[in-house]
Amino acid sequence: MTEILLILLTSIVLAFPLGLYLARVMRGGPMRGDALFGWIEKPLYRLLGVNPARGMSWRGYVGAFLLSNVVIAVLVQAVFMTQAWLPFNPDQIPNLRWDTALHTMVSFLTNTNQQHYSGQAQLSYFAQMTAITGLQVVTPMMGLALVVATLRALFSARPEDVPADQAALLSADRRVDVGNYYADVVRACVRFMLPLCLLWAVLLTSQGVPATLAGGPQATPIDAAAGMETQKIPLGPVAAMVAAKQLGTNGGGWYGPNSAMPLENPTPLSNALELIGILLIPIAVIFMLGAFTGRKRLAGLVFGCMLAMSSVSIAATVWLEGHSATAASPLLMEGKEVRFGADGTGLWAAVTTQVSNGSVNGMHDSLSPLAGAVPMVNMLVNAIWGGIGCGLQQFIVYLLLGVFLAGLMTGRTPELFGRKLETPQVRLLALLVLLQPITILGFTALTLAIPSITGTSNPGFHGISQVFYEYTSAFANNGSGFEGLGDATVWWNLSCTLVLLLGRYPVLVIPLIVAAQLAAKRRAPESAGTLQIETPTFALTLIALIVILTVLQFMPALVLGPVADHLSLTLH
């Protein structure tokens, strides 16, 4: 318990000044580091052919976001399909199969890092360093850029500030300046993400995480009964990738077993560093919210709601994994973490799914059934800290829905920050609410209905959990999985690719559209009847709404999966 509290407290303490710094970076004003970072940023702007000082409408911003994703997708797919002929391939690893390459490309492009491959055996050093680690740096900053643009629309843009002669020529949404996409991503990468990754990589290297371009050594197995005269130990520039995967809420791993592998997570200190890395930036984004918008009470509301949900999630997972009726069942021992203990596994499982990270230090497939249910709920909520930018963007969706319902209950037209929430905005929010259950439950039902494509290692209730977890993880852009699932097939690669796309782009883009529509409206003056959202009462209302929209609508799937699994083990 002391370790858990210390990790959480350290993460919050470090995140506060980091959030203030991040707010300054994303404002785009002059900074002390301009002389240092300018010589990196200016050539990048020239290469991209953009003027970083020129603002964009939401249409231009979203267009730039999608265009950059398409260009990166083509380049990364090419790397995966040609890695056998590219440099830095000392282990002579062949090219990826086309469907595995497609799924891997989309997985890392969407900041999910869901892996249907084993990194040390199927990717070259070059592919790991460029296509994998490169995306782990850039894609989280893309999510951050989208949420910053949304905040600009909600709090900064004023259509009444546009000169009358220009306003006549522009539609309402084009009068709203949400910033420059390329400037937001470049500044966040160069001034924030890369320096932090460098620091974390050095700290992890000091704990024994490999950082080399040399091929791995040959070792003689101690157990001759294994039938191997020698065994090759896979190495590589692992520390840089692990730093980026944890800090960028990416997940994945250089090695197939992920952070359960001693080479990727060798010591208790490296375990703590990686856990802090998972939480650090998502919490910093909440502190950035207050400094960036000037609404510290709003940041307090968001932080309080997320911390409350996080605390309940961690407590439940740790207790269920270490002390529940099925925690010590021999049937669950395969894949159990033994180096850091049940509490360490429970903490990591909770944190990695509260954040859209997905890395593991023990196999989630071997968690006690109810402990495995908590990560599912975390991913269904997808806003307990959440991914970088994505978590706050999802929370804004819940916030808008909460304002809408509160307005209906009080008999007033729903409005947020003086702007009315009307039919077009509610329709877009309803689309997001419906998209999650239709996608996850639809693909789960279809996969379970055709046994030849299911690939589960358990025919009973646990098999349902394996399938449901995989699609939930893909939609939440989390990437963790119940690894008893045989997911390295064409069906799983293609179906998860579609779910990854549906879980990433609508959730990032639609809140920006809604915010731009609200920003284009005239601000109404506050009165005694104006809904005050920065209060404990509204926070409780918001948490209740989140529980209803996530837990209750998926309750049948949770009962058929982990709850029934728990009951069957108890009876056994």
Side-chain angles (χ1 to χ4, degrees), residues 168-238:
L169 302 175
L170 298 174
S171 61
D173 59 6
R174 291 182 182 274
R175 298 175 211 167
V176 180
D177 182 357
V178 298
N180 186 287
Y181 168 77
Y182 297 103
D184 287 342
V185 174
V186 169
R187 286 176 66 89
C189 287
V190 173
R191 298 170 182 251
F192 181 75
M193 187 65 179
L194 284 173
L196 204 55
C197 285
L198 177 61
L199 171 62
W200 237 253
V202 172
L203 293 174
L204 290 172
T205 303
S206 72
Q207 294 303 298
V209 180
T212 177
L213 292 176
Q218 297 284 344
T220 302
I222 297 175
D223 184 6
M228 295 186 297
E229 293 183 2
T230 61
Q231 179 183 2
K232 188 175 181 63
I233 307 298
L235 299 179
V238 182

Side-chain angles (χ1 to χ4, degrees), residues 204-464:
L204 290 172
T205 303
S206 72
Q207 294 303 298
V209 180
T212 177
L213 292 176
Q218 297 284 344
T220 302
I222 297 175
D223 184 6
M228 295 186 297
E229 293 183 2
T230 61
Q231 179 183 2
K232 188 175 181 63
I233 307 298
L235 299 179
V238 182
M241 191 266 201
V242 175
K245 83 165 186 175
Q246 306 297 30
L247 289 167
T249 67
N250 292 288
W254 185 281
Y255 301 100
N258 210 279
S259 290
M261 172 73 167
L263 287 174
E264 196 165 310
N265 185 16
T267 68
L269 181 55
S270 72
N271 191 68
L273 285 170
E274 292 187 34
L275 277 169
I276 293 170
I278 292 172
L279 288 167
L280 186 59
I281 300 182
I283 298 178
V285 170
I286 308 307
F287 292 123
M288 180 207 74
L289 168 66
F292 187 81
T293 64
R295 300 188 71 112
K296 296 181 179 179
R297 291 185 64 190
L298 176 62
L301 168 80
V302 177
F303 179 78
C305 289
M306 290 185 174
L307 182 61
M309 292 187 290
S310 175
S311 300
V312 172
S313 168
I314 291 173
T317 311
V318 170
W319 186 84
L320 290 168
E321 178 59 13
H323 308 283
S324 66
T326 59
S329 172
L331 298 174
L332 301 175
M333 289 310 294
E334 182 183 6
K336 283 287 189 183
E337 164 55 41
V338 295
R339 292 189 298 141
F340 304 117
D343 288 356
T345 302
L347 173 63
W348 192 300
V351 166
T352 195
T353 48
Q354 291 172 12
V355 177
S356 297
N357 182 272
S359 65
V360 298
N361 73 347
M363 297 300 103
H364 289 188
D365 193 51
S366 298
L367 296 174
S368 67
L370 294 183
V374 179
M376 293 183 194
V377 173
N378 292 344
M379 293 186 293
L380 292 171
V381 173
N382 207 21
I384 309 177
W385 310 123
I388 297 176
C390 305
L392 183 55
Q393 199 80 325
Q394 180 67 50
F395 194 89
I396 289 173
V397 172
Y398 291 134
L399 180 67
L400 292 168
L401 289 170
V403 168
F404 173 70
L405 292 177
L408 293 182
M409 289 188 290
T410 57
R412 292 178 54 87
T413 301
E415 63 179 47
L416 179 66
F417 308 125
R419 295 186 170 98
K420 296 188 183 300
L421 194 64
E422 297 174 309
T423 302
Q425 293 79 52
V426 176
R427 283 176 177 165
L428 289 172
L429 296 174
L431 174 62
L432 282 180
V433 171
L434 293 173
L435 184 62
Q436 184 191 40
I438 290 173
T439 302
I440 295 174
L441 296 178
F443 275 101
T444 299
L446 178 61
T447 303
L448 289 170
I450 309 174
S452 61
I453 64 173
T454 305
T456 54
S457 58
N458 296 81
F461 303 116
H462 193 73
I464 297 175

Side-chain angles (χ1 to χ4, degrees), residues 56 58-72 109-110 138-139 141-146 181-182 185 390 504-509 512:
M56 297 177 174
W58 75 261
R59 297 177 189 273
Y61 205 95
V62 171
F65 168 60
L66 296 178
L67 176 62
S68 66
N69 277 250
V70 170
V71 172
I72 292 173
L109 184 67
T110 56
V138 175
T139 56
M141 297 302 99
M142 291 177 174
L144 177 64
L146 266 291
Y181 168 77
Y182 297 103
V185 174
C390 305
R504 170 74 167 180
Y505 295 101
V507 174
L508 281 177
V509 171
L512 175 56

